[in-house]
Amino acid sequence: MKRILFLVVTLTLLSIATAFSATTSEDPSSNTTPTAAKEEGSSEVSSDYFSTPDDADGDSLRQDKGGDQSGYRRKSTVRESDSDDEAVEAGPAKGSQEQAEDPREVSGKEEREFFDPSTGKEEKQVQDGKSRRERQSIRDDKRDKAQGKDKKEKKKTAKVPARKTVQPVAEPSALEQAMGENPVIIDKSRPQPYGWDQLTQFGYNFFKRGKDTFAAQTDVPVGPDYLVGPGDRLIVTLWGSINGTHKLEVNRSGEIVLPKVGAVKVAGVSYGELPALLKGSVARIYKDFQLNVNLDKLRLIKVYVVGEVASPGDYNVSSLSTVISALSAAKGPTKNGSLRNIQINRNGKVVETVDLYDFFLKGDKGKDIRLQPGDTILVPVIGRVAGIVGNVRRPGIYELKGESTLKDLFALGGGANPTGYLQRVQLYRVEAHDKKVVKDFNLDLSGPAAEQQISGIKMQDLDLVNVLPIDSVLRGYVRLEGHVLRPGDYALKPGMRVSSLLQGDNLLPQYHAGAAQIIRLYPPDMHPEIVYFDVAGALKGDPGQDVELKEFDRVKIFSREQMEEVPVVKISGEVQKPGQVRYLENMTVRDLLMQAGNVKLSAYLGNAEITRVKRDSGSVTSYSISVNLDQALKGGKENVKLEPFDELTVRRIPNWAEATERYVTLKGEVMFPGTYPIYKGERLSSVIARAGGFTDLAYLKGARFTRESARKLQQQRMDEALDKAQDQIIKLQSNVSQTASSAEEVASSKTTLDNLMRSIEILKTKKAEGRVLMEITSLRDLKGSMYDLELQGGDQLTVPSDPGGINVIGDVYNQSTVVTQRGRDIDWYLQQVGGPTGDADMDSIYVVKVDGSVISQANSSKFMFYNSFWGKTLDSGDTIIVPRQYEKTAYLRNMKDIATIIGNIAVMAGVLVAAGL
């Protein structure tokens, strides 16, 4: 009973474990590789001592393929590892496809378990009574579906663009660093870094994982010493009295069977002797023929690779394989295996001992013998090792062989670099399994003493030799810097002076001859000090200035721009390009005029002025020099030689007017509108008369006269007023929630302030007109009146025709234009548009006349409750403006001033903003 209970519990746990394993392998997000899934789903254990689970899979696959021995034993494992990239791209579909193969069927075992790895579910073999053939049919259907999914996944993967791989930047070698670094000067020297980089064991990177770097090649010609054996396939070609080509394989008896000739024993015969042997056998039957023999396929031989290798085991390799190719098939020795004592056992005897260092360091493959069937390659545990680091050609950890000395270790490391400091070579050693010590040796000896010293130091296990670097500070030099042609380091010679560095063309033009400097280091602490010298004196050989140079001196030459203020002269007035010009030696007035692009047509050549500065010992005075430019341009005596910082002023011809100052414009109802040139002192009535006077349609009350100087002044005041109004609105917006008594008042206040802000934004886009108010009744009355202004360049007069209406805007019921009625007053026109609204400010209504003047209740006569403003008659083109009342609510009282300011600005700009006024 206990046995039955134990068996039931065991089977239950096994079913749960296998179901969980299959679910994990079927999950698309799982990272389990197909190989790992096979290992989990199979309970087979290989009986081979040297094989791994991967080897077991390989054996089962070979059995499934009918015992194909076209490659050595580990080929299937390599193929699986090479397909890892494809498995990543194909995704989970490929994993499921490989899992669909039942490892129990591949290995040829009888199926007795209840779990099917292809479905991940329990197989009820006993209960449902399904046969093996039915189950195989179900698995084939599922495999076809998995392959269909695999194709879809591959199509999706193919559409994804491949990512660009960024090639890593190779680090410079020790020689590249030594040759590429700039010379280090003594005041820039720093302590040398302590320690060394990570060392690696030499030689093990020759066997790259996953690639048969040294695998035997089967497509190379076979040498005459190759011994034919069972499994080789020969191609025998006959011609002459007998013709034919025969592919013959050497059987296990070592024979081949020639048609009509019989069996010929060829095993153990060299390839070079084979044609003669076959020819002799055929000659017993035929005569007068020729024969040729080639090897079609080489046999596979089984060898064993054991010991400290990555993948020990038995391998089917080509009969041309050598020791190195067999080690490559086993993925090379591990870092715990020896590279210098590899043994080849044949028939119980060691036939050869291979030292791979001979191949790695010298390229010698003399002991890389060809393997025979049954050979065993033994890689023992690594022997004694020593490391060499620092300034050597090939730093690393090397395996020692026999009694090795420091000389042998230097030979393994390729010798010391020229930058190695041999006066102090350090040796780190482990003594008596107790402590680690360091020893220093001086190897900078010459002759037999150096050979004896380096050969007398015996190396022990785990010794580490460190070759320190030399001092990288440059010696025996002086450095030239600054305004010179060839800056850099110069070899210091005995008695060398400054002049030897500056001879020839080494000084660039415009160098400062007054002073240069030498930065010199003084012992014992090598602190820097500055030594000044005169360049001109040094070039002349003055002993006091031609300083003798010392090691590490830095000579610096300055340019004139660095040490001297650049002299300039200035020209202004009637020239093409006024401004500053660099002063040159012997520069004259004519030279300066040419630099400035010559004089303008408006220049007065009779008299110009040079302002010159005179410097005394303690004061500066200025005086002027008069120059006749007409004579100076001809090169006469008036062509005065200039001095630094002179200022030449070229005056304008009296009464000369520029193009913008010589024209005025007449528009509208004049007989001949257009642009007219004026002369100095000409008045408005004169130009109107030249234009033929006014037409019969001229509406003189609406004449608009603008002037550029007035426009600039109005624009300045307009900008200031707009900025002030905008600041007040922003302040009111920030305080509106505090002053208002309800939410409705806050909303109303914000709406009103937003309207005012929009009005300001509109006005900011407009420019002031520059209008000058004047009354013109007729050309005759204008002449000699106060409005008959003296004209300026840019003045403009616009005479409109009669507009025929009065504009009424603002807070009225119907903003519109009313046809002008003779004798009608303001009150009448307001009634025509429905009158002011309830929000209108009756006390602030004003009228902008067509001539630009403004009338309001403030500038009209009053008598008790009567104001003459309401009874004033209007002219065609006048505008009545009705502002809004802001005093009804306490939080809007300050808005009235802002609205008034905006209204005034609008009048100034010639723009009437109705909203919010």
Side-chain angles (χ1 to χ4, degrees):
M1 186 67 182
K2 291 182 179 179
R3 293 182 178 178
I4 296 174
L5 181 61
F6 178 77
L7 181 60
V8 171
V9 172
T10 303
L11 292 176
T12 304
L13 293 176
L14 180 61
S15 299
I16 295 173
T18 53
F20 177 78
S21 174
T23 304
T24 306
S25 63
E26 287 181 355
D27 186 4
S29 63
S30 174
N31 294 328
T32 305
T33 61
T35 304
K38 290 183 180 181
E39 291 175 1
E40 292 175 1
S42 175
S43 60
E44 180 182 355
V45 178
S46 174
S47 61
D48 191 348
Y49 174 79
F50 301 106
S51 65
T52 62
D54 290 339
D55 295 328
D57 293 340
D59 290 342
S60 63
L61 289 173
R62 280 193 297 277
Q63 291 179 12
D64 184 64
K65 294 180 181 179
D68 183 15
Q69 296 183 355
S70 60
Y72 48 79
R73 175 173 181 173
R74 303 286 303 176
K75 188 171 183 180
S76 63
T77 306
V78 174
R79 184 166 57 250
E80 288 178 2
S81 63
D82 289 340
S83 64
D84 287 345
D85 295 337
E86 298 177 2
V88 172
E89 294 179 1
K94 186 163 185 173
S96 62
Q97 179 182 355
E98 291 186 15
Q99 292 169 7
E101 298 179 5
D102 192 347
R104 291 168 296 178
E105 294 179 4
V106 174
S107 61
K109 289 185 178 181
E110 183 179 358
E111 187 171 337
R112 295 181 180 179
E113 296 179 2
F114 299 98
F115 180 73
D116 185 1
S118 64
T119 61
K121 299 179 181 179
E122 292 186 358
E123 182 91 18
K124 296 182 180 180
Q125 181 179 0
V126 179
Q127 286 79 356
D128 57 13
K130 288 184 179 180
S131 64
R132 181 183 182 90
R133 184 174 298 176
E134 291 174 346
R135 290 195 303 273
Q136 182 65 33
S137 176
I138 294 173
R139 291 192 192 99
D140 291 340
D141 293 339
K142 294 178 179 179
R143 187 181 295 110
D144 293 338
K145 293 180 180 179
Q147 290 177 354
K149 293 181 180 179
D150 185 28
K151 291 180 179 179
K152 292 180 180 179
E153 292 293 335
K154 286 184 177 179
K155 288 181 179 179
K156 293 180 180 178
T157 306
K159 294 179 181 179
V160 179
R163 295 182 179 179
K164 294 183 179 180
T165 57
V166 179
Q167 295 294 336
V169 180
E171 295 184 0
S173 65
L175 293 177
E176 291 172 340
Q177 292 178 355
M179 298 294 292
E181 64 181 3
N182 294 325
V184 179
I185 59 178
I186 189 169
D187 56 344
K188 299 293 184 181
S189 59
R190 296 292 181 269
Q192 294 179 354
Y194 176 75
W196 48 82
D197 297 333
Q198 180 68 34
L199 283 178
T200 58
Q201 292 179 247
F202 172 76
Y204 293 91
N205 58 349
F206 279 80
F207 300 95
K208 297 179 181 179
R209 297 293 182 261
K211 295 183 179 180
D212 297 337
T213 310
F214 300 100
Q217 297 184 9
T218 59
D219 56 351
V220 297
V222 178
D225 58 342
Y226 176 76
L227 298 180
V228 180
D232 288 336
R233 182 185 298 166
L234 305 178
I235 300 178
V236 180
T237 303
L238 300 168
W239 67 93
S241 61
I242 179 174
N243 296 318
T245 300
H246 308 281
K247 291 186 178 181
L248 308 173
E249 187 168 340
V250 182
N251 57 27
R252 293 188 177 183
S253 300
E255 300 173 342
I256 59 173
V257 179
L258 286 169
K260 298 183 182 182
V261 174
V264 180
K265 189 173 185 63
V266 294
V269 179
S270 66
Y271 180 68
E273 299 173 352
L274 186 59
L277 175 63
L278 296 180
K279 192 171 185 180
S281 299
V282 176
R284 293 181 309 203
I285 308 298
Y286 299 98
K287 296 181 179 180
D288 299 330
F289 68 91
Q290 297 295 328
L291 179 144
N292 182 45
V293 180
N294 282 319
L295 274 171
D296 181 30
K297 187 186 82 170
L298 299 179
R299 69 183 182 276
L300 296 179
I301 61 175
K302 184 180 288 292
V303 297
Y304 302 89
V305 184
V306 296
E308 300 298 323
V309 292
S311 298
D314 59 302
Y315 291 88
N316 293 324
V317 297
S318 169
S319 55
L320 292 178
S321 296
T322 62
V323 177
I324 293 179
S325 59
L327 288 174
S328 176
K331 299 182 180 178
T334 65
K335 289 190 176 182
N336 198 37
S338 173
L339 296 180
R340 310 199 66 179
N341 190 27
I342 300 174
Q343 301 174 3
I344 295 92
N345 290 275
R346 184 175 296 163
N347 299 325
K349 297 181 181 179
V350 178
V351 297
E352 190 63 80
T353 300
V354 178
D355 184 354
L356 290 181
Y357 277 24
D358 293 338
F359 172 57
F360 294 154
L361 298 177
K362 304 175 185 177
D364 182 8
K365 293 185 65 177
K367 293 187 177 182
D368 186 24
I369 62 174
R370 184 172 294 168
L371 298 176
Q372 298 296 329
D375 283 356
T376 299
I377 301 173
L378 172 63
V379 179
V381 177
I382 192 172
R384 297 180 301 116
V385 296
I388 186 167
V389 71
N391 283 264
V392 291
R393 304 284 186 183
R394 189 171 48 244
I397 301 173
Y398 295 90
E399 183 179 357
L400 303 178
K401 189 175 183 181
E403 291 293 331
S404 300
T405 64
L406 182 59
K407 179 180 179 181
D408 299 328
L409 184 60
F410 266 99
L412 292 175
N417 287 327
T419 56
Y421 185 63
L422 298 181
Q423 288 85 343
R424 179 170 169 251
V425 176
Q426 292 183 321
L427 172 62
Y428 294 86
R429 173 168 290 176
V430 178
E431 287 190 350
H433 300 275
D434 179 43
K435 58 185 177 182
K436 197 169 187 177
V437 298
V438 61
K439 298 180 180 180
D440 292 343
F441 298 96
N442 182 9
L443 303 182
D444 188 22
L445 303 175
S446 58
E451 183 71 20
Q452 183 179 1
Q453 171 80 347
I454 195 171
S455 300
I457 302 174
K458 303 297 183 182
M459 303 307 298
Q460 298 182 9
D461 194 15
L462 292 183
D463 278 354
L464 178 62
V465 177
N466 183 16
V467 181
L468 300 173
I470 63 173
D471 186 6
S472 58
V473 174
L474 189 64
R475 303 280 178 174
Y477 79 97
V478 291
R479 180 165 292 182
L480 181 62
E481 301 174 348
H483 196 66
V484 292
L485 180 62
R486 301 177 187 88
D489 300 327
Y490 289 79
L492 179 63
K493 300 176 183 178
M496 189 174 182
R497 295 184 177 273
V498 171
S499 58
S500 60
L501 294 178
L502 308 179
Q503 294 294 341
D505 58 348
N506 211 6
L507 286 172
L508 291 176
Q510 301 295 319
Y511 69 89
H512 181 62
Q517 68 180 18
I518 300 174
I519 301 176
R520 178 166 293 175
L521 304 180
Y522 287 88
D525 59 347
M526 306 303 287
H527 66 277
E529 294 185 8
I530 296 178
V531 178
Y532 282 94
F533 68 94
D534 183 84
V535 177
L539 293 175
K540 293 178 181 179
D542 184 357
Q545 303 299 328
D546 196 6
V547 181
E548 184 177 355
L549 298 174
K550 304 292 184 182
E551 188 180 27
F552 308 128
D553 278 355
R554 292 171 56 193
V555 181
K556 188 170 185 179
I557 306 298
F558 300 99
S559 65
R560 285 189 179 180
E561 293 182 358
Q562 292 176 300
M563 304 298 292
E564 301 176 8
E565 182 181 1
V566 178
V568 295
V569 290
K570 185 177 180 181
I571 184 170
S572 60
E574 299 303 304
V575 290
Q576 299 289 342
K577 296 182 292 183
Q580 287 187 347
V581 178
R582 180 177 177 179
Y583 173 78
L584 303 177
E585 293 290 338
N586 300 320
M587 193 175 193
T588 63
V589 172
R590 182 172 61 180
D591 298 333
L592 179 58
L593 290 173
M594 295 302 103
Q595 291 285 337
N598 213 340
V599 296
K600 294 182 178 180
L601 295 176
S602 58
Y604 181 63
L605 302 181
N607 189 359
E609 184 178 80
I610 299 175
T611 302
R612 180 165 293 175
V613 177
K614 183 178 181 181
R615 291 176 293 178
D616 295 330
S617 57
S619 62
V620 176
T621 57
S622 299
Y623 61 96
S624 61
I625 302 173
S626 298
V627 178
N628 188 320
L629 293 183
D630 193 14
Q631 298 297 325
L633 290 171
K634 297 177 181 179
K637 295 181 180 180
E638 295 293 329
N639 190 21
V640 179
K641 185 181 295 185
L642 299 176
E643 294 184 4
F645 307 107
D646 279 354
E647 295 186 17
L648 175 62
T649 303
V650 181
R651 299 184 176 92
R652 178 181 293 185
I653 297 175
N655 296 327
W656 179 275
E658 295 291 345
T660 56
E661 301 173 354
R662 296 199 300 265
Y663 298 95
V664 296
T665 303
L666 301 181
K667 295 182 178 181
E669 299 299 325
V670 292
M671 295 299 294
F672 302 102
T675 301
Y676 289 85
I678 59 173
Y679 56 87
K680 189 174 182 62
E682 188 173 8
R683 296 189 174 272
L684 179 59
S685 59
S686 174
V687 176
I688 296 174
R690 289 164 55 192
F694 302 114
T695 66
D696 295 337
L697 299 177
Y699 185 61
L700 298 181
K701 289 183 178 182
R704 185 186 300 268
F705 183 81
T706 59
R707 175 162 286 178
E708 182 63 23
S709 58
R711 189 198 66 79
K712 293 180 180 179
L713 181 60
Q714 290 175 7
Q715 185 66 49
Q716 179 181 356
R717 294 177 179 175
M718 178 177 169
D719 293 339
E720 294 173 355
L722 286 174
D723 292 339
K724 181 179 179 181
Q726 191 173 21
D727 293 340
Q728 291 180 356
I729 293 176
I730 294 174
K731 184 177 180 180
L732 287 175
Q733 286 176 337
S734 60
N735 298 330
V736 65
S737 59
Q738 300 176 1
T739 57
S741 59
S742 64
E744 292 77 7
E745 290 182 356
V746 172
S748 177
S749 177
K750 287 184 177 180
T751 302
T752 304
L753 291 174
D754 291 341
N755 292 335
L756 292 175
M757 186 64 75
R758 282 195 296 270
S759 299
I760 290 178
E761 295 300 329
I762 293 174
L763 289 174
K764 280 189 174 182
T765 61
K766 306 299 180 181
K767 301 298 180 182
E769 277 191 319
R771 184 173 183 178
V772 179
L773 301 182
M774 61 172 52
E775 295 181 6
I776 302 176
T777 56
S778 64
L779 179 57
R780 181 171 45 182
D781 295 338
L782 176 63
K783 189 174 182 179
S785 67
M786 59 181 298
Y787 297 113
D788 192 11
L789 302 178
E790 183 177 338
L791 296 176
Q792 299 178 3
D795 286 351
Q796 181 174 302
L797 176 65
T798 303
V799 182
S801 57
D802 190 351
I806 304 296
N807 302 311
V808 183
I809 62 175
D811 264 72
V812 293
Y813 285 101
N814 182 22
Q815 299 185 69
S816 61
T817 300
V818 182
V819 177
T820 307
Q821 299 289 331
R822 184 180 298 275
R824 297 297 185 178
D825 54 16
I826 295 175
D827 185 60
W828 185 86
Y829 286 107
L830 285 175
Q831 296 303 321
Q832 301 305 308
V833 296
T837 65
D839 294 331
D841 186 359
M842 298 297 296
D843 295 334
S844 299
I845 297 175
Y846 61 96
V847 176
V848 179
K849 300 289 291 182
V850 70
D851 60 2
S853 60
V854 177
I855 57 175
S856 64
Q857 298 180 51
N859 61 8
S860 301
S861 59
K862 300 179 182 178
F863 180 74
M864 296 184 66
F865 299 103
Y866 173 76
N867 194 313
S868 61
F869 170 77
W870 301 101
K872 291 186 177 181
T873 58
L874 299 180
D875 298 320
S876 180
D878 290 350
T879 301
I880 303 173
I881 300 175
V882 182
R884 181 172 296 177
Q885 172 62 263
Y886 293 105
E887 294 182 350
K888 290 184 178 181
T889 54
Y891 62 89
L892 291 179
R893 289 175 181 172
N894 293 329
M895 295 186 186
K896 181 178 180 180
D897 297 334
I898 300 175
T900 303
I901 293 173
I902 295 176
N904 294 336
I905 296 172
V907 174
M908 184 185 303
V911 180
L912 296 179
V913 183
L917 294 179

